[in-house]
Amino acid sequence: MEERLPAELLELVRKAGEVAASQGQRLYLVGGAVRDLLLGQPSLDLDLVVEGHAPELARHLARAWGGEVLAHPHFGTAKFRRGELSIDLVTARSETYSRPGALPNVKPGSIDDDLLRRDFTINAMAIHLDPASYGELVDPYHGRGDLDQRLIRILHPKSFVDDATRILRALRYEQRLDFQLEATTAELLRQDTPMLDSITGDRIRHELELILREAYPEKALVQAQELGVLARIHPSLRGDSWLAERFGEARELTPGTPPEPSLYLCLLIHRLSKEGNELLIRRLRMAKATARTMRDTLTLKSELPALAEPCLPPSSIYRLLERYSPAALLANALASDSPLVRQRLHLFLDELRYVKLSLNGEDLKRLGAPPGPRLGRMLQALHEAKLDGEAKTRQEEEELVGRWLRLVEDDS
Ligand code: ATP
């Protein structure tokens, strides 16, 4: 901890341990942060578990040190924030499952109870923050050994049955850390994959989103296909070399900045039928905006032949593409085999969508255009002319409008 945590965060954590001890409570660092510290990776996202009462401890911390508390007493959780630093405090708890896939029944418990409810041995370790035992590792399930052997192992044989989201979590950690599923875990994972049906759409979607936020999401998706996990979520979803290549190309577009998860999602659903897409939207209870982007992806895909017509002026390209969301456009650019289609999608994304007129309706009126619907049409025609390079500057826009107005006058 001393080496890997920033000094200020370390001081906060140490102080929190002292304040907890003064209240007769015991505090631990838990979960992903312990795993990452032992792997030698820095972690700024700290989860602390207290044998006691987290909201009460957070308030004591604020009193002793200043800072803000956001407490959820009903859940026994609190966030403590001081300047830039923040830590999440949770009351140690034990969990039981009334039926597979249900949310657990929760009651206060010890640190061992709290670790037992976790997903994998490598996430089920804690570090004492109590001054008397500061820095000691709590490792009842031999997570450290599994870290050394690079294994993802569940804590008990019913783990995937209790909560099948752990199936997706297992694949995410396996691929992120470049670990392997321990043999029994792998066997149970295959066997219990049908339990994914017992999980609500919201929870599956959340885990899928976490996968799409990984550095190389395709790795977990390819593995999910091989193990039959992806097909359990939706029979036509595929995690294959096509997808892996497209994800890689998506990253190359913005080196140093990971693609938006929505772009990965659009690529993932790109080969679904429209009906299949609707099924997935319903199953995962997608938010309205996400559902729209997913539908956009497939509608645009069906309209791409129009974009492959020869000799399309930029204004026509604009009209064909203006109603689609950027992720849908980019996904189709990455997915299309046609260089011309790709080039036109990129022309729209990189240039055409930013083309704006210098003149507005008021300017047109000032130049003599009569108010009314024709004004709107003239603005649109002017925009198209600008897209097609016929009016580059404000002055050229004014000249073009002037010519059009004279033509109208001559006609009447
Ligand atoms: P990371 O993705 O780096 O592990 P994290 O540790 O913050 O980040 P979260 O998804 O926030 O991961 O989960 C925090 C901890 O809660 C995990 O380390 C794990 O022990 C536990 N956890 C999360 N989801 C489950 C689950 N479905 N079943 C059991 N334990 C879980």
Side-chain angles (χ1 to χ4, degrees):
M1 282 199 294
E2 308 287 320
E3 278 172 30
R4 311 261 182 244
L5 294 185
E8 279 182 312
L9 198 54
L10 189 68
E11 196 190 346
L12 180 58
V13 161
R14 194 191 279 277
K15 183 87 184 173
E18 284 166 15
V19 171
S22 73
Q23 303 299 317
Q25 307 188 17
R26 260 203 300 265
L27 188 65
Y28 304 85
L29 179 65
V30 291
V34 176
R35 175 198 70 220
D36 290 343
L37 282 171
L38 291 171
L39 285 171
Q41 292 162 6
S43 188
L44 297 178
D45 199 6
L46 300 190
D47 292 322
L48 305 187
V49 163
V50 59
E51 287 175 327
H53 192 251
E56 196 182 296
L57 173 60
R59 280 192 286 272
H60 280 300
L61 260 183
R63 228 169 286 141
W65 234 35
E68 297 160 37
V69 174
L70 189 68
H72 297 285
H74 179 68
F75 295 107
T77 63
K79 194 177 216 32
F80 172 74
R81 197 176 295 131
R82 189 168 175 275
E84 298 284 287
L85 304 177
S86 84
I87 46 178
D88 287 311
L89 294 158
V90 180
T91 308
R93 60 197 203 215
S94 73
E95 289 182 350
T96 46
Y97 290 82
S98 54
R99 62 180 165 79
L103 288 177
N105 303 315
V106 172
K107 58 181 201 304
S110 66
I111 185 69
D112 281 2
D113 293 330
D114 199 278
L115 295 179
L116 177 61
R117 72 184 176 84
R118 290 173 188 266
D119 43 9
F120 310 112
T121 58
I122 58 164
N123 286 340
M125 292 181 277
I127 295 176
H128 281 262
L129 299 177
D130 191 282
S133 47
Y134 184 81
E136 279 174 29
L137 188 67
V138 186
D139 182 16
Y141 308 105
H142 311 293
R144 189 162 202 175
D146 284 340
L147 271 186
D148 290 342
Q149 293 186 63
R150 309 177 74 80
L151 291 175
I152 306 293
R153 186 196 305 265
I154 44 177
L155 302 194
H156 56 86
K158 271 188 68 213
S159 183
F160 291 133
V161 174
D162 282 347
D163 179 354
T165 61
R166 293 171 185 162
I167 292 175
L168 293 166
R169 296 178 66 81
L171 303 185
R172 180 160 64 88
Y173 288 118
E174 181 196 34
Q175 298 306 318
R176 181 206 295 176
L177 301 171
D178 205 8
F179 280 24
Q180 277 196 328
L181 298 177
E182 172 275 329
T184 308
T185 301
E187 198 183 311
L188 289 170
L189 187 148
R190 277 178 197 276
Q191 178 190 308
D192 294 336
T193 291
M195 297 310 296
L196 279 167
D197 297 356
S198 68
I199 303 295
T200 62
D202 287 332
R203 296 187 67 217
I204 297 207
R205 187 189 65 244
H206 176 65
E207 292 301 333
L208 182 63
E209 283 165 359
L210 290 178
I211 289 178
L212 297 181
R213 286 180 196 285
E214 290 290 319
Y216 303 98
E218 65 273 23
K219 295 204 299 181
L221 295 173
V222 166
Q223 179 75 326
Q225 152 140 349
E226 272 167 25
L227 296 172
V229 170
L230 216 47
R232 198 78 209 180
I233 296 173
H234 187 295
S236 311
L237 280 181
R238 271 177 281 165
D240 53 11
S241 56
W242 183 92
L243 191 77
E245 279 162 30
R246 299 286 112 49
F247 276 26
E249 283 175 30
R251 283 190 292 275
E252 279 165 23
L253 290 176
T254 51
T257 314
E260 290 292 325
S262 60
L263 174 58
Y264 284 143
L265 179 65
C266 291
L267 287 168
L268 182 63
I269 60 104
H270 186 267
R271 288 171 292 168
L272 295 185
S273 66
K274 286 188 179 171
E275 299 71 41
N277 194 34
E278 292 305 319
L279 208 70
L280 189 68
I281 288 171
R282 277 201 302 279
R283 170 70 179 105
L284 301 193
R285 290 168 42 89
M286 294 292 186
K288 263 205 179 106
T290 313
R292 195 193 139 208
T293 306
M294 291 166 71
R295 290 189 183 112
D296 267 5
T297 304
L298 298 191
T299 311
L300 175 58
K301 180 181 164 187
S302 65
E303 290 185 5
L304 285 185
L307 198 64
E309 291 289 319
C311 308
L312 272 189
S315 55
S316 303
I317 298 176
Y318 185 91
R319 227 175 307 119
L320 278 171
L321 300 180
E322 64 179 324
R323 59 185 176 280
Y324 297 109
S325 40
L329 290 159
L330 206 46
N332 274 286
L334 290 162
S336 170
D337 291 330
S338 155
L340 182 61
V341 165
R342 280 182 173 225
Q343 182 237 320
R344 284 174 170 170
L345 284 163
H346 280 293
L347 178 69
F348 176 82
L349 279 165
D350 301 340
E351 293 176 32
L352 300 184
R353 69 176 163 144
Y354 300 115
V355 171
K356 298 276 177 287
L357 285 177
S358 307
L359 301 182
N360 58 25
E362 287 308 312
D363 294 323
L364 260 59
K365 278 194 237 165
R366 195 176 37 75
L367 291 168
R374 266 174 52 191
L375 190 78
R377 285 200 295 276
M378 195 175 272
L379 274 172
Q380 197 183 341
L382 193 58
H383 185 234
E384 291 185 0
K386 184 148 193 172
L387 286 163
D388 291 338
E390 290 161 21
K392 294 199 178 66
T393 60
R394 183 183 174 96
Q395 196 188 341
E396 284 177 8
E397 284 179 31
E398 286 180 347
E399 284 166 11
L400 197 57
V401 172
R403 274 209 301 283
W404 287 344
L405 289 174
R406 280 196 296 282
L407 276 176
V408 176
E409 273 170 27
D410 291 351
D411 276 358
S412 54

